[in-house]
Amino acid sequence: MHRCLRLTEVLEIIFCLVLDVQFIDPSFDAYQLLQPAILPFPNTKGRHSVLNLALTCRAFRDPALNVLHSYIGDIWPLSKSVPGQLPRPSWLHIPEQFRPSILRATCVQIFFNQNLHHHDSAYALLLESASKDAPLFPQLRSVGWFDPRVETIPALNLLLPTVHSLALDITNDQFRKAVFQSLRTTSLHLKSLEFIAMVHTGLVISELESFLSSYSESLTELSIRFFRKDIPNVLLEAIAVWPRLQYLTLHIGFNSMPLRAPQPFQALTHLHISCESLCLFSFLLHSISGTDSGTSGCPNLKKIYNIALHCGPTSIWSEVLTILTRTKLEHISIIERCNSEPHPCYTGPAFFELRPFLARPTTLVNIKTLLIFPAHYGSITLTDADVHTLARACPHLYSVSLGNHSTPVSLGALGYIVRRCRELCEISLRVDARLDALGTIPLDDDEQMHLQPNIRLRRLAIGGSPIACVGPLNPPTAPDLMMSIPRFLHMIAPRLTKVEISLESHLGWTHRRYSLREMKKMDDIQRWKKVGRVLLELTQGDTN
């Protein structure tokens, strides 16, 4: 075993990557709550993999179990590991040697079960085992509690004394009021708070504002994700002046504007917004950053994530992209959803350019993630020159999705950005892959020194890229599909093994839209699948 793998810290980082926790849960799509969550959602497939690693050897066991039991998604493993006389369910078997690691759990999430009594005996076990002298789980730092019944509050209170991050479903009015009263005395170390309401709630904003005022000096992360409930400007202005707030998730509406707080969000680094349309997001950006580059709002902002639930005028895209050039962001994700309806909410001009965003390339040098996703017929007018400018301005790009509705660029432009941005791991870009595409790739000797094969690229999405061939999809009558295009892709990204439709797996409607609307001919899908099969063979051949 390599000496690096004898370091617990290194192993835990590796096992966390294997666990593959997600911060956007697709199951929340129906509730229009697709902003990133503060706490990750447990991943069943990843949990099995980490458990297998724990059983591999003694050196892996403790680090793997520490990671595995740091993301517990059920109350029963906790109740099974504590002392107590009440009976345990026969279906839950946890080996004796694994129980100490559960007691060291750092992150626990309790999800609501339709059987209201499913968890009650587990709660009773926790209450029976409670000690007045020490917490049951001394290393517990994060709790997500999504069982909003009043009778569960005593069990919840047992977990709170050491907690720094707390996520709660406060849909139930009685549960919310009781929890608001108890949190001030049971949770003295809170740094992060997330409130979720999946249906319309009777919450009065003044009630929430009064509660949050107790934490205005200490909170670093706040997420308020309510189903179709806007945050009014009174509350937004109060939050904007919190001195330590670094992470904010909200749903904004017209009553959220204008924001009049002086020098708002001075410590903010991550901003996640949902809104009805991009117009509201544009208003918010204007309120925060002003109309010139001399404003002092959000000086530390690194990430913006916005999802608009309906589409609007494409001119708003140009306005938003222009405002973003006044920032020094690292991660930009702007998504227009339009509620997956078959017809767009807006039927005006459909195209907008990326050039306003590229007008000040010196401000783009820190960008690592760029996701621009217009809804329905919205499309970016994209040229090879735009792609070249983007590649030169953003040398540290990790993930790029320029909307698979963009005008297609040449394979040469794709090859340029892939080889120029050597940290690039995933890209979604429409390309022109028709028969003469490879014969028209321009070569610039002055640029060749910057272009090297990208060994990091693992994902390529092509959306509705046009592709053509002569004759059937079998050799030797399809040379582009069998040889030219796969070999070109293999040359620019030797470890790329497949071609996808969309990178945005958490946006389920994207796959339906591309495959049925953009790729109108099933032949295109079959041709790209053929390219993917040949590409996989080339990569496997190199490995062997």
Side-chain angles (χ1 to χ4, degrees):
M1 183 184 298
H2 195 283
R3 285 180 294 177
C4 289
L5 296 180
R6 299 185 185 277
L7 298 175
T8 301
E9 295 82 359
V10 173
L11 286 175
E12 289 189 351
I13 292 173
I14 294 173
F15 297 154
C16 281
L17 293 174
V18 174
L19 189 62
D20 189 28
V21 292
Q22 304 294 322
F23 288 85
I24 296 180
D25 187 355
S27 65
F28 278 35
D29 185 5
Y31 306 106
Q32 300 178 1
L33 301 177
L34 280 175
Q35 312 100 311
I38 284 180
L39 298 182
F41 296 90
N43 182 292
T44 303
K45 183 178 180 180
R47 295 185 68 84
H48 285 304
S49 299
V50 175
L51 179 59
N52 290 335
L53 286 168
L55 299 173
T56 300
C57 64
R58 284 182 294 178
F60 284 6
R61 196 189 78 163
D62 285 346
L65 289 178
N66 286 342
V67 170
L68 182 67
H69 295 145
S70 289
Y71 298 94
I72 295 177
D74 200 330
I75 193 67
W76 278 110
L78 296 180
S79 62
K80 186 78 172 182
S81 63
V82 298
Q85 302 302 318
L86 293 179
R88 271 75 166 174
S90 58
W91 50 264
L92 182 69
H93 174 68
I94 299 178
E96 189 68 33
Q97 66 269 29
F98 288 0
R99 294 182 186 181
S101 63
I102 297 178
L103 291 173
R104 298 195 298 268
T106 61
C107 181
V108 171
Q109 298 201 61
I110 311 302
F111 294 92
F112 176 74
N113 192 285
Q114 295 299 326
N115 180 358
L116 295 180
H117 303 290
H118 177 75
H119 286 157
D120 289 350
S121 55
Y123 297 144
L125 278 170
L126 289 181
L127 293 172
E128 182 198 19
S129 306
S131 170
K132 295 181 180 180
D133 301 325
L136 278 176
F137 305 96
Q139 297 185 31
L140 190 60
R141 296 295 180 266
S142 304
V143 168
W145 197 269
F146 305 106
D147 188 346
R149 295 179 292 147
V150 176
E151 54 268 33
T152 68
I153 292 178
L156 169 62
N157 288 338
L158 285 179
L159 306 179
L160 294 180
T162 61
V163 166
H164 292 181
S165 300
L166 177 64
L168 293 172
D169 181 348
I170 58 172
T171 306
N172 184 293
D173 292 343
Q174 291 182 322
F175 177 86
R176 180 186 68 250
K177 292 177 180 178
V179 166
F180 278 9
Q181 290 179 356
S182 65
L183 278 180
R184 292 186 176 94
T185 57
T186 56
S187 300
L188 302 179
H189 308 288
L190 277 182
K191 304 293 183 184
S192 304
L193 263 176
E194 178 169 64
F195 295 131
I196 294 175
M198 298 185 187
V199 296
H200 287 290
T201 173
L203 173 69
V204 179
I205 293 298
S206 59
E207 177 188 358
L208 180 60
E209 183 180 4
S210 174
F211 170 77
L212 290 175
S213 63
S214 304
Y215 296 97
S216 61
E217 296 294 324
S218 60
L219 279 187
T220 60
E221 300 183 21
L222 176 65
S223 174
I224 304 175
R225 301 195 295 155
F226 294 161
F227 177 75
R228 290 187 175 274
K229 194 174 185 70
D230 305 339
I231 298 301
N233 64 337
V234 174
L235 179 57
L236 190 58
E237 288 173 358
I239 295 171
V241 296
W242 288 3
R244 293 181 174 83
L245 188 65
Q246 299 176 15
Y247 178 111
L248 180 62
T249 300
L250 296 171
H251 180 82
I252 60 172
F254 285 104
N255 64 342
S256 305
M257 303 296 131
L259 176 62
R260 299 188 181 92
Q263 297 183 335
F265 303 114
Q266 289 295 292
L268 197 68
T269 59
H270 290 67
L271 177 62
H272 307 117
I273 296 295
S274 66
C275 52
E276 292 300 315
S277 72
L278 275 183
C279 297
L280 289 166
F281 181 57
S282 177
F283 293 158
L284 179 65
L285 290 180
H286 273 299
S287 298
I288 291 175
S289 63
T291 56
D292 58 27
S293 58
T295 183
S296 57
C298 291
N300 297 300
L301 194 61
K302 302 299 181 186
K303 177 182 179 182
I304 279 184
Y305 179 100
N306 180 81
I307 182 165
L309 303 179
H310 295 87
C311 56
T314 50
S315 59
I316 293 298
W317 279 97
S318 299
E319 184 176 334
V320 168
L321 293 175
T322 300
I323 298 173
L324 292 179
T325 62
R326 306 183 191 124
T327 65
K328 294 183 179 180
L329 292 165
E330 295 180 4
H331 305 279
I332 299 174
S333 299
I334 307 176
I335 303 161
E336 214 174 29
R337 182 185 174 189
C338 206
N339 280 338
S340 307
E341 295 169 4
H343 301 290
C345 312
Y346 172 76
T347 56
F351 292 91
F352 64 94
E353 294 187 345
L354 193 64
R355 290 178 186 175
F357 182 69
L358 302 173
R360 301 174 64 183
T362 56
T363 65
L364 310 180
V365 68
N366 297 320
I367 291 181
K368 298 177 182 178
T369 303
L370 181 61
L371 167 58
I372 300 176
F373 196 97
H376 286 288
Y377 296 104
S379 179
I380 305 173
T381 302
L382 199 62
T383 66
D384 284 14
D386 294 335
V387 176
H388 283 223
T389 302
L390 179 66
R392 287 191 290 265
C394 309
H396 305 296
L397 279 173
Y398 171 88
S399 176
V400 179
S401 178
L402 295 180
N404 293 340
H405 272 244
S406 65
T407 52
V409 297
S410 71
L411 283 169
L414 172 65
Y416 184 87
I417 191 172
V418 167
R419 291 184 289 172
R420 177 90 186 208
C421 302
R422 298 174 193 172
E423 299 174 28
L424 191 65
C425 292
E426 52 186 39
I427 182 170
S428 175
L429 187 67
R430 284 190 74 201
V431 294
D432 185 343
R434 287 172 291 191
L435 284 178
D436 59 349
L438 290 172
T440 58
I441 297 175
L443 297 176
D444 186 342
D445 292 338
D446 295 335
E447 293 281 1
Q448 293 305 308
M449 61 179 294
H450 298 290
L451 305 182
Q452 299 294 330
N454 184 326
I455 61 174
R456 296 191 178 188
L457 190 72
R458 294 292 191 276
R459 302 183 66 192
L460 168 65
I462 43 75
S465 295
I467 185 171
C469 69
V470 177
L473 300 180
N474 296 311
T477 55
D480 272 31
L481 297 177
M482 285 303 300
M483 301 297 292
S484 303
I485 294 177
R487 286 198 173 188
F488 173 75
L489 296 178
H490 185 62
M491 176 191 71
I492 65 174
R495 296 184 181 177
L496 182 67
T497 59
K498 62 179 179 179
V499 178
E500 304 177 48
I501 299 298
S502 172
L503 295 181
E504 292 76 42
S505 59
H506 61 280
L507 307 179
W509 68 90
T510 63
H511 294 270
R512 296 191 299 273
R513 192 180 79 181
Y514 295 152
S515 59
L516 298 180
R517 186 183 299 276
E518 287 291 343
M519 291 186 169
K520 296 180 180 179
K521 296 182 179 179
M522 290 301 294
D523 286 348
D524 281 340
I525 300 176
Q526 296 304 318
R527 288 165 185 164
W528 279 113
K529 285 182 178 180
K530 186 72 173 179
V531 169
R533 287 194 293 270
V534 177
L535 182 62
L536 178 60
E537 291 175 3
L538 291 172
T539 306
Q540 290 177 338
D542 283 355
T543 303
N544 296 334

